[in-house]
Amino acid sequence: LLVVRPGAQVEVRRLSPGAFALVCAVDGGETLGRALISAFEAEPDGDPQQIFAALLAAGSFVRPKTAAA
């Protein structure tokens, strides 16, 4: 399951095996390219680009905060 908070509401989404593999790979410090490969390996019938697009649309990724100058 993935819990996201776009705006003020909380959403819980069930992840496919490919989406779970992609999120775990990114969380583990892998590059986006390697994470997409992980998604394909976990879900060969899935489309890694569509999986990534769905995660982006869900608000799964955020821009890191930069240190104050």
Side-chain angles (χ1 to χ4, degrees):
L1 293 176
L2 176 70
V3 179
V4 292
R5 189 174 176 185
Q9 68 186 52
V10 175
E11 296 179 9
V12 178
R13 297 174 183 234
R14 182 178 303 272
L15 293 179
S16 70
F20 182 73
L22 191 150
V23 169
C24 288
V26 169
D27 184 54
E30 296 291 343
T31 64
L32 181 56
R34 180 63 203 139
L36 290 169
I37 291 169
S38 295
F40 176 74
E41 290 172 345
E43 190 177 342
D45 292 336
D47 180 346
Q49 291 177 333
Q50 288 182 350
I51 291 169
F52 182 61
L55 289 169
L56 282 177
S60 304
F61 300 99
V62 296
R63 182 176 7 153
K65 293 182 180 182
T66 58

